Amino acid sequence: MLGAERRQRIMDILGEDGKVYVAKLATEFQVTEETVRRDLEKLECQNLLQRSYGGAVPSEATSADVSFARRSSQNQASKLQIAEAAHSLIHDGDTIMVDSSTTCQMLLNRLAKKQGITVITNSIRLMYDFRASAFRMVCTGGNFRASSCSLTGPVATRMLAGYHADDTIISCKAIDLAGGLMESNDSESEVKEIMMQQARRVILLVDHSKFDKTALVRFGDIGSLSYLITDREPHEEWKKFLAETKVKLLVC
């Protein structure tokens, strides 16, 4: 297993279990504990985790891959404001692709009264939560990721590539002027990349805590967005960049 593959697996385990242990990882990867410590050190340098005695825990300050339930409780007021702003961009009869983010969950709650909406998603959680809604729901197949209640992998991306949507609505773990749009794992990144390609417009829902941060995997260019919706005014450098790339900024 390559170093990059080990580190991705470490982040996956961290997202599912909330902690990783050096000895256990060394056994799983069939490498020395010193090799695992070097992997953890590299991930810590990227602000993706915080080393602790015998292992590591997620870094709250950045973009560790935390569970859906835990993400649902974070920045709720900001997410509700963002969902409200995004609501006005979606019209009766639209087809939308949405990811497994908690902000998209809040948006679908706001869209429930609109007519003829088709929702294409890789989120098992959204399929369950809106099973009795008037939405026409389409879900991908794929590999189940417990931490995000989502389906990923080749089956999911192939299915998404067969659909076209009016809007793709996604969130991300981090956004940076140099780094672009970033996620904490490869599998979610691949899904979001395909979703962005399959829609007429791409709408990013992201609260202020995600700006100028770094995550493990880059999946898209900021300039590929149609709208960026956030809860606080970004600094002037961001405003200038978004204007130059013709990305419409909506601040709640």
Side-chain angles (χ1 to χ4, degrees):
M1 182 181 289
L2 297 175
E5 294 174 322
R6 282 197 312 273
R7 291 188 287 276
Q8 177 61 66
R9 178 60 183 151
I10 289 170
M11 293 305 300
D12 287 341
I13 297 171
L14 198 59
E16 293 169 3
D17 298 341
K19 187 170 184 178
V20 292
Y21 298 92
V22 171
K24 189 174 180 179
L25 291 173
T27 299
E28 177 175 338
F29 300 148
Q30 296 184 332
V31 297
T32 65
E33 293 188 7
E34 184 58 34
T35 297
V36 173
R37 291 191 186 94
R38 286 197 296 270
D39 286 335
L40 296 180
E41 184 178 2
K42 288 180 180 179
L43 292 169
E44 186 176 48
C45 288
Q46 294 177 272
N47 293 321
L48 294 174
L49 55 74
Q50 180 179 343
R51 285 185 293 169
S52 62
Y53 181 77
V57 295
S59 171
E60 293 292 344
T62 56
S63 48
D65 189 13
V66 298
S67 71
F68 187 96
R70 194 167 162 201
R71 286 185 286 121
S72 295
S73 66
Q74 296 173 339
N75 299 327
Q76 285 189 329
S78 295
K79 292 175 183 178
L80 283 169
Q81 292 176 336
I82 292 168
E84 180 65 30
H87 164 263
S88 63
L89 299 177
I90 310 303
H91 308 290
D92 291 348
D94 279 355
T95 296
I96 60 176
M97 285 187 179
V98 298
D99 66 9
S100 59
S101 65
T102 56
T103 313
C104 281
Q105 181 190 42
M106 292 183 178
L107 173 60
L108 290 190
N109 281 323
R110 293 291 294 114
L111 295 176
K113 294 183 180 180
K114 290 189 181 286
Q115 302 297 313
I117 300 291
T118 298
V119 177
I120 303 170
T121 185
N122 70 318
S123 172
I124 294 293
R125 182 61 181 262
L126 295 185
M127 292 296 294
Y128 179 81
D129 286 351
F130 295 96
R131 64 195 183 281
S133 73
F135 297 138
R136 179 188 175 221
M137 301 288 291
V138 179
C139 190
T140 70
N143 303 321
F144 180 61
R145 295 191 75 249
S147 62
S148 59
C149 293
S150 65
L151 298 169
T152 62
V155 173
T157 54
R158 280 198 301 269
M159 183 172 175
L160 288 169
Y163 286 91
H164 293 280
D166 297 295
D167 296 291
T168 279
I169 307 166
I170 58 174
S171 187
C172 65
K173 292 294 189 300
I175 180 171
D176 180 74
L177 286 173
L181 311 176
M182 289 169 280
E183 262 298 336
S184 59
N185 64 85
D186 286 313
S187 56
E188 296 281 2
S189 296
E190 290 167 357
V191 166
K192 296 185 184 195
E193 185 176 2
I194 292 294
M195 284 183 169
M196 290 176 67
Q197 295 170 5
Q198 299 306 114
R200 182 170 52 86
R201 301 188 304 182
V202 179
I203 302 170
L204 180 71
L205 313 180
V206 61
D207 67 65
H208 65 278
S209 69
K210 308 295 180 63
F211 281 81
D212 301 312
K213 300 290 176 61
T214 301
L216 190 63
V217 185
R218 181 184 185 278
F219 70 88
D221 294 323
I222 297 171
S224 299
L225 303 174
S226 305
Y227 289 88
L228 191 160
I229 305 179
T230 189
D231 59 325
R232 293 185 189 175
E233 291 274 352
H235 56 67
E236 290 302 318
E237 187 178 5
W238 271 100
K239 292 180 182 179
K240 180 180 178 182
F241 180 83
L242 294 172
E244 290 174 349
T245 54
K246 298 182 179 179
V247 177
K248 296 179 182 178
L249 172 67
L250 297 182
V251 181
C252 307

